Amino acid sequence: MDRYIALDVHMQSCTVAVVGESGRRLKSQVIETNGQALVDAVRGIPGRRHVCLEEGTQSAWLSELLRPHADDVVVTLPEKRKGPKDDLRDAWALAEDLRRGSLRAVVYKAPHCTGLRDAVRGYTMLTGDLVRVKNRIKALYRSRGVPTDARVYRAGERGHWESKLPVSQQRLAVMLGGYLDLVEQAQGEAESWMREEAKKHVVIKLLATAPGMGRVRTAQVVAIVVTPERFRTVRQFWSYCGLGIVTRSSSDWVQEGGRWVRAQTIQTRGLNRNRHPLLKTVFKGAATTVIQRGGDQPLHQGYQRMLAAGTKPNLAKLTLARRIAATVLSMWKHQEVYDPKKHRRTQTA
């Protein structure tokens, strides 16, 4: 006896809808968004419990909370629905999609929230804040036609730069400088915390030997991916990282000499947009590092061969990022350190 349970979660309340095996609507109720109350509600439903909720701020907490009390817990990306909308309609529709197996996008949730994931999340947020406040400082000087360089961010040299601004804007520059100092301190503490957590994971030391990766980028990959067994093939991993190539075509066949032949149409339409943005940043950053450092690395030599063959630099960099991602996934699955000899020398025509 299967029961399909959907939760429409909000800050103060959760709407619960229960559907049976035949699709019959069995029960609905509104519960306070409280851990114990939700556990009691789910445990009070007889049969094999299949729970589904939409991705959101509280989805990680709820999936971890309810997993011991249900046969399976699924988190999905919300879909836009036409027509009237309210919490109960959304819950019924979600329960029905779960029953029919028609959920389009299922979000992976790690069984347990580790310190590394929290440390990476904090480091990522504070790094973004640091970039944002630096851009604001630079924009302030640019608005008055004052060219700047990296010294404008240094606490000991700000007075010289602030004197170039009108009196009305000097106070704003002082406040932004103080904000920058606080964010830099917090970002440094977050990085130290992330490095401490990274030392607890042996696989990070192993994967950091990959070209262009390093401890910080590797810690980000391990915190997000959690386990390489999530991806059966490297193409699935490329799509998750935003490195999958999207193809679109129409009118694929034309007649030539009385027979059907495939038309010469451009099918590529860029990279997939449904991806994890941080992973895309990590692997493209690793590709940039390999390009800048040069040397006799096989990956860098392959990049140079692509340029010599006429490949555009941005496409060559994308290919390099895909090769690094494939290398990291293979190293992780086989628990191997990086071996440059395993890269085949590919000839580009």
Side-chain angles (χ1 to χ4, degrees), residues 131-147:
V131 173
R132 190 174 296 113
V133 68
K134 285 186 174 182
N135 287 338
R136 286 174 177 169
I137 292 173
K138 194 170 185 178
L140 175 63
Y141 285 94
R142 184 181 298 171
S143 68
R144 304 305 303 179
V146 180

Side-chain angles (χ1 to χ4, degrees), residues 237-310:
F237 188 53
W238 282 340
S239 296
Y240 187 66
C241 298
L243 302 174
I245 298 175
V246 177
T247 59
R248 296 283 188 272
S249 67
S250 183
S251 299
D252 292 334
W253 301 92
V254 295
Q255 275 194 338
E256 289 185 4
R259 60 191 183 91
W260 290 103
V261 297
R262 186 175 290 277
Q264 299 297 320
T265 57
I266 299 176
Q267 297 184 2
T268 57
R269 294 294 184 269
L271 302 178
N272 63 297
R273 295 182 178 272
N274 183 18
R275 84 287 186 195
H276 198 294
L278 182 55
L279 286 181
K280 185 174 183 179
T281 301
V282 165
F283 288 116
K284 293 196 77 171
T288 301
T289 300
V290 171
I291 293 170
Q292 292 177 345
R293 290 183 179 178
D296 56 352
Q297 290 185 359
L299 289 178
H300 182 264
Q301 292 175 352
Y303 172 78
Q304 294 297 334
R305 287 196 299 272
M306 284 187 284
L307 294 182

Side-chain angles (χ1 to χ4, degrees), residues 51-127:
V51 180
C52 182
L53 62 149
E54 293 181 343
E55 170 70 346
T57 306
Q58 298 168 312
S59 58
W61 164 58
L62 290 176
S63 62
E64 185 176 342
L65 178 72
L66 299 177
R67 189 171 282 114
H69 309 287
D71 291 86
D72 62 286
V73 178
V74 179
V75 180
T76 182
L77 291 177
E79 295 185 12
K80 292 184 179 180
R81 303 182 187 276
K82 297 181 180 180
K85 181 186 183 305
D86 56 44
D87 293 349
L88 185 56
R89 281 190 175 95
D90 291 345
W92 285 128
L94 193 60
E96 184 62 21
D97 287 344
L98 177 64
R99 184 187 72 85
R100 294 184 301 176
S102 59
L103 296 173
R104 293 188 178 180
V106 176
V107 181
Y108 174 80
K109 292 295 180 183
H112 301 286
C113 188
T114 64
L116 179 64
R117 292 174 66 87
D118 290 331
V120 167
R121 185 179 296 113
Y123 172 78
T124 303
M125 288 189 298
L126 289 170
T127 300

Side-chain angles (χ1 to χ4, degrees), residues 145-165:
V146 180
T148 59
D149 53 36
R151 294 175 296 175
V152 75
Y153 307 125
R154 300 172 186 170
E157 301 186 32
R158 287 187 196 136
H160 165 70
W161 293 96
E162 291 164 0
S163 63
K164 298 182 179 182
L165 293 173

Side-chain angles (χ1 to χ4, degrees), residues 205-236:
K205 184 177 180 181
L206 182 148
L207 298 181
T209 60
M213 291 300 292
R215 290 294 181 92
V216 172
R217 288 173 179 157
T218 304
Q220 292 173 326
V221 171
V222 172
I224 296 169
V225 177
V226 181
T227 173
E229 278 68 32
R230 292 173 55 189
F231 306 98
R232 183 174 57 85
T233 66
V234 69
R235 292 186 180 276
Q236 294 174 342

